[in-house]
Amino acid sequence: MASKYDVAIIGAGAAGMMAALTAGRRGLSVVVIDHAKSPGEKIRISGGGRCNFTNIHAGPKNYLSNNPHFAKSALARYTPADFIAMVDRHKIGWHEKTLGQLFCDDSAKDIVRMLLDEMRAVNAELRLSCEISTVEKTLDGFRLVTGQGDVAAKSLVVACGGKSIPKMGATGFAYRIAEQFGLSLTETRPALVPLTLEPNLLAELSELSGVAVEADVSRGKTHFREALLFTHRGLSGPSILQISSFWREGDEILLSLEPEVDFVESLKSAKRENGRQQVQTVLAQHLPKRLAQYLADTAKLERPLADLPDKALAALAERLRRWPIKPAGSEGYRTAEVTLGGVDTDGLDSRSMQAKTVPGLYFIGECVDVTGWLGGYNFQWAWASGHAAGESV
């Protein structure tokens, strides 16, 4: 005999728990099922353990999708201010870092506890370490065959994420459910992920591993100005993670190091004032020493500034302003923060997140073809899409 509920939710992550507490507030009976041992694992590890739970600037412009308009409705109806109000109600301390990113003062676990408290308040049931073997449509809803007994529900919300960070339990289960019910998928790929370099370039840059610098990183007309980190595998840091969502194999990216600095003027001024200085000495006033040394060495500018023509200094400055690098690939889903692509939004109603051809079936969060920038935007999509479904089931 199946346990009966108004709503069954697959996935006890950010979107799933938000959908559960929202539906529960409307008096509906809710069960949340997850194969993981603990709820909200991605929340727990996010933001260095402090959870970058939203961004005050979140809007449709901060999301990638084949349909850039799809996210507008959900984001407009559940805003960062709405989530902040819940955080404040639970007396969770928070602070703003750069670029509108909000973090917990203490621990990401505070956000998980808040969501669980809200779920308990509306009697939403949580089943963990629970595998689902079968999902099927019935005359009056859906039936799930699980390791903890069958579940029957009028509505089914799929919130089990994408493929990113498989060690946290990520799978492609949401996509399999979508395909089972005839929904289309857009191409999926790792996003917000470090980029790797081909062996020769990696060997050349090996001495820079661990060096961080402010950079404007661009691909085509898209660019992000944040920290860049050289690693033993390639390039990382916020600016690289951001551009990775727009990069494709074979593409070149452009690095502009410390873009606020006028390196031409800096080098020429140093040449006038103290021509005995070495190039790396001047560069090191603005860049990490190892990076300054590398740039001077590879440009073969080991002589004093006074012995160098202005043309050579201008060429070096141009490299600092426009340094082309062609990544070989990315580190993949192993370290990707999110999955780009997913359930095609053409098959979903943007207001409710319901499948247009399967009444009662909803897809929310990361499994949908809506992917945010780095900096709290993906959590805001989870809250907004979860709220939209919770209000509609």
Side-chain angles (χ1 to χ4, degrees), residues 50-350:
R50 289 196 172 180
C51 187
N52 179 192
F53 58 81
T54 192
N55 193 299
I56 58 176
H57 304 307
K61 68 183 184 300
N62 307 114
Y63 295 85
L64 288 76
S65 173
N66 276 2
N67 178 0
H69 301 291
F70 180 82
K72 287 181 177 178
S73 176
L75 291 170
R77 288 181 294 118
Y78 194 86
T79 67
D82 292 318
F83 192 78
I84 292 167
M86 181 160 61
V87 171
D88 287 344
R89 215 166 50 241
H90 285 258
K91 296 181 169 52
I92 297 172
W94 56 271
H95 58 279
E96 180 182 347
K97 281 194 175 180
T98 56
L99 305 172
Q101 302 170 54
L102 303 190
F103 289 78
C104 295
D105 287 347
D106 185 19
S107 169
K109 293 177 183 177
D110 292 338
I111 299 296
V112 178
R113 275 194 293 268
M114 175 189 75
L115 296 169
L116 290 174
D117 287 346
E118 291 281 336
M119 286 171 57
R120 274 190 288 269
V122 296
N123 297 314
E125 184 182 331
L126 179 60
R127 294 191 187 187
L128 297 171
S129 300
C130 184
E131 298 285 347
I132 299 171
S133 59
T134 305
V135 176
E136 60 186 21
K137 189 81 176 70
T138 62
L139 288 175
D140 53 358
F142 298 84
R143 177 174 169 268
L144 281 61
V145 178
T146 86
Q148 297 177 20
D150 291 5
V151 168
K154 296 174 185 174
S155 298
L156 176 62
V157 180
V158 181
C160 45
K163 301 175 184 177
S164 58
I165 320 185
K167 70 178 181 181
M168 304 298 295
T171 69
F173 191 46
Y175 309 137
R176 294 198 294 275
I177 296 173
E179 290 180 316
Q180 175 186 336
F181 287 101
L183 277 75
S184 298
L185 302 176
T186 64
E187 178 198 6
T188 55
R189 53 187 291 123
L192 302 183
V193 63
L195 298 177
T196 58
L197 301 175
E198 56 89 14
N200 290 339
L201 181 55
L202 192 62
E204 181 187 322
L205 297 176
S206 61
E207 65 198 75
L208 299 179
S209 182
V211 170
V213 63
E214 188 74 12
D216 189 295
V217 180
S218 60
R219 174 200 172 263
K221 294 181 179 179
T222 303
H223 67 100
F224 293 94
R225 182 175 296 189
E226 293 187 67
L228 177 150
L229 176 67
F230 294 90
T231 74
H232 67 289
R233 292 173 59 85
L235 302 173
S236 189
S239 61
I240 294 296
L241 299 187
Q242 294 279 36
I243 211 68
S244 72
S245 296
F246 298 84
W247 175 83
R248 292 292 180 272
E249 286 75 4
D251 285 351
E252 206 171 62
I253 60 174
L254 282 178
L255 314 183
S256 177
L257 306 184
E258 293 293 350
E260 298 294 331
V261 178
D262 185 339
F263 282 101
V264 171
E265 179 54 36
S266 181
L267 288 164
K268 288 183 177 179
S269 175
K271 180 180 176 180
R272 288 193 302 269
E273 294 168 12
N274 182 3
R276 290 174 298 177
Q277 290 184 90
Q278 297 288 322
V279 167
Q280 62 265 32
T281 304
V282 180
L283 294 182
Q285 295 171 11
H286 309 288
L287 301 168
K289 285 185 179 180
R290 275 192 285 157
L291 180 56
Q293 186 68 56
Y294 166 82
L295 290 163
D297 290 348
T298 53
K300 295 182 169 52
L301 301 178
E302 295 92 353
R303 290 169 290 162
L305 285 168
D307 297 339
L308 297 171
D310 287 352
K311 185 177 180 181
L313 299 180
L316 175 59
E318 177 66 10
R319 183 182 184 186
L320 286 159
R321 194 177 72 85
R322 291 175 59 83
W323 181 359
I325 286 184
K326 184 180 285 188
S330 81
E331 291 196 7
Y333 290 115
R334 181 180 65 86
T335 58
E337 295 200 11
V338 291
T339 303
L340 190 70
V343 179
D344 194 333
T345 58
D346 284 351
L348 304 177
D349 179 88
S350 65

Side-chain angles (χ1 to χ4, degrees), residues 363-375:
F363 290 86
I364 59 175
E366 187 184 344
C367 70
V368 177
D369 176 29
V370 175
T371 306
W373 293 1
L374 183 73

